[in-house]
């Protein structure tokens, strides 16, 4: 317990420092969970009062929307809900120890294969959020290179840098494999872990000057709405299409049966999520507000999830 609490504090501080934000999700940690509910909803949700569900959330914007939607649905069901902003490996360790109840953004079977292999005996896939989404190295369309093999010939054109997100993330580990498989360090390239916010800032700056740049990318993400981008081909196939899952620990269905039933029917479209991410990026609209709007616009689907229906 002491070890995990120390990791929680360290992970939270790291994530807050790295992402330069966190907004409403970070502020939502430790919330009572009933704020914003109608009086009728609070009266009808007495069976779960006093039970607290804790979500692990990374600083990735792809995690923020689904986590906030799930939070609001479980609050409607009567749970108290907390969101812990943590580094990804700490979330998986937290689920193993049952101090984190759900994680809404696990990329499998490929991107987070190492973490899954380590924790799969203790964890389970609760639901599939969306399927067959790409990850890889991304450049602006005006860059002539079409594949990772192409960039090897001109590292100086890109300043010798590939910008990525926080160390420990699956896409960073895969990028290390790519660096090794294509001998890119010897060619003069360096992998630059930072944060999603810092990476996108670098992309924005380079595009504003029409300069070449390489980042790690994935869909869903608002960058593909904001900019004209392309994935570099990767012939050795380190990057593959993934599905995105809701994860929890073994036994969650007995510990919190209603929460499990609701989230086992969870799904969202890539288009819907990218629209939320774009609105947040363009107008700084809080994900809490975007989630409430999505729930209102998809009430039939939400009602079915709340009733435990597919």
């Amino acid at each position: 317990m002491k070890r995990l609490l120390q990791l929680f504090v360290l992970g939270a501080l790291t994530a807050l420092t790295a992402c330069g934000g966190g907004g409403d999700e970070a502020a939502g940690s430790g919330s009572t969970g009933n704020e914003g509910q109608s009086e009728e909803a609070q009266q009808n949700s007495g069976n779960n009062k006093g039970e607290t569900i804790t979500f692990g959330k990374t600083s990735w914007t792809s995690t923020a929307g689904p986590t906030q939607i799930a939070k609001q649905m479980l609050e409607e069901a009567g749970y108290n809900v907390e969101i812990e902003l943590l580094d990804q490996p700490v979330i998986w360790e937290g689920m193993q120890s049952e101090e984190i109840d759900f994680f809404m953004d696990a990329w499998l079977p490929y991107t987070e294969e190492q973490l899954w292999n380590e924790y799969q005996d203790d964890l389970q896939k609760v639901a599939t959020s969306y399927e067959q989404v790409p990850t890889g190295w991304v450049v602006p369309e005006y860059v002539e290179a079409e594949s990772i093999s192409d960039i090897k010939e001109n590292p100086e054109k890109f300043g010798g840098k590939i910008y990525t997100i926080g160390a420990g993330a699956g896409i960073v580990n895969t990028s290390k494999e790519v660096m090794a498989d294509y001998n890119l360090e010897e060619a003069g390239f360096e992998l630059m872990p930072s944060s999603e916010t810092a990476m996108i800032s670098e992309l924005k700056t380079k595009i504003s000057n029409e300069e070449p740049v390489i980042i790690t990318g994935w869909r869903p993400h608002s960058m593909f709405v904001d900019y004209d981008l392309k994935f570099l081909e990767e012939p050795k196939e380190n990057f593959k299409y993934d599905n995105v899952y809701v994860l929890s620990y073994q036994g969650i269905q007995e510990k919190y049966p209603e929460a499990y039933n609701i989230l086992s029917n969870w799904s969202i479209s890539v288009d819907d999520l990218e629209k939320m991410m774009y609105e947040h990026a363009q107008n700084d609209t809080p994900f809490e507000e975007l989630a409430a709007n999505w729930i209102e616009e998809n009430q039939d689907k939400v009602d079915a999830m709340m009733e435990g229906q597919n």
Side-chain angles (χ1 to χ4, degrees):
M1 175 71 75
K2 183 177 179 181
R3 164 67 174 161
L4 185 56
L5 288 173
Q6 290 171 337
L7 286 170
F8 276 1
V9 172
L10 178 60
L13 290 173
T14 301
L16 284 167
T17 301
C19 73
D24 52 296
E25 280 73 40
S29 295
S31 67
T32 61
N34 286 324
E35 296 177 6
Q37 284 191 20
S38 67
E39 182 178 349
E40 180 181 359
Q42 292 186 42
Q43 290 174 349
N44 292 336
S45 60
N47 289 342
N48 300 316
K49 280 190 179 296
E51 294 188 324
T52 298
I53 300 294
T54 301
F55 286 89
K57 189 187 81 68
T58 66
S59 59
W60 317 332
T61 51
S62 62
T63 316
T67 303
Q68 187 57 235
I69 293 170
K71 175 181 184 288
Q72 293 183 25
M73 288 196 302
L74 294 189
E75 287 176 341
E76 188 71 16
Y79 291 99
N80 300 324
V81 179
E82 296 181 353
I83 296 174
E84 296 286 351
L85 182 60
L86 300 165
D87 288 340
Q88 186 193 31
V90 182
I91 292 174
W92 290 62
E93 183 175 346
M95 286 189 291
Q96 183 188 49
S97 65
E98 301 187 15
E99 295 184 67
I100 297 293
D101 297 304
F102 293 102
F103 178 49
M104 299 294 292
D105 202 18
W107 291 61
L108 296 167
Y110 302 112
T111 303
E112 290 160 15
E113 180 181 10
Q114 292 181 17
L115 283 169
W116 181 250
N117 288 342
E118 182 176 354
Y119 291 103
Q120 63 180 324
D121 290 344
D122 300 307
L123 304 185
Q124 61 173 309
K125 299 171 185 173
V126 175
T128 305
S129 289
Y130 39 89
E131 297 180 328
Q132 290 294 292
V133 285
T135 62
W137 288 4
V138 169
V139 297
E141 272 288 353
Y142 57 74
V143 171
E144 293 181 2
E146 297 295 330
S147 75
I148 289 177
S149 299
D150 294 338
I151 69 168
K152 188 175 179 180
E153 305 304 319
N154 296 291
E156 67 282 352
K157 181 184 293 187
F158 301 94
K161 294 179 172 59
I162 295 99
Y163 297 95
T164 187
I165 58 176
I171 199 169
V172 180
N173 294 332
T174 304
S175 293
K176 291 178 180 178
E177 296 171 4
V178 171
M179 293 286 289
D181 278 358
Y182 293 85
N183 297 312
L184 292 177
E185 285 191 8
E186 291 85 344
F189 278 100
E190 181 182 4
L191 192 64
M192 305 292 292
S194 55
S195 70
E196 181 185 352
T197 302
M199 181 185 74
I200 297 302
S201 177
E202 191 68 39
L203 175 69
K204 181 178 180 180
T205 299
K206 297 292 188 184
I207 287 178
S208 68
N209 297 318
E210 293 193 11
E211 297 175 0
V213 62
I214 306 169
I215 66 167
T216 54
W218 59 91
R219 292 197 67 193
H221 199 286
S222 61
M223 72 174 89
F224 292 98
V225 181
D226 281 335
Y227 307 112
D228 195 9
L229 304 172
K230 61 185 178 183
F231 282 96
L232 290 174
E233 297 173 9
E234 199 267 290
K236 297 183 185 293
E237 297 185 348
N238 289 280
F239 290 111
K240 301 180 179 70
Y241 280 73
D242 263 319
N243 298 332
V244 176
Y245 296 95
V246 178
L247 294 189
S248 186
Y249 45 82
Q250 297 289 347
I252 186 72
Q253 55 268 53
E254 287 81 28
K255 188 175 182 180
Y256 300 119
E258 188 173 359
Y260 173 83
N261 287 339
I262 291 170
L263 292 183
S264 65
N265 291 283
W266 162 258
S267 67
I268 190 171
S269 73
V270 170
D271 286 344
D272 280 0
L273 188 48
E274 283 189 337
K275 288 175 184 175
M276 293 175 68
M277 296 161 75
Y278 178 77
E279 177 67 22
H280 175 75
Q282 289 295 306
N283 301 315
D284 202 27
T285 307
F287 277 108
E288 183 175 11
E289 179 180 336
L290 295 169
N293 292 341
W294 186 89
I295 289 172
E296 183 177 356
E297 293 166 4
N298 295 270
Q299 195 62 59
D300 289 346
K301 180 175 183 176
V302 171
D303 288 345
M305 286 191 279
M306 296 288 288
E307 295 166 6
Q309 300 173 5
N310 288 314

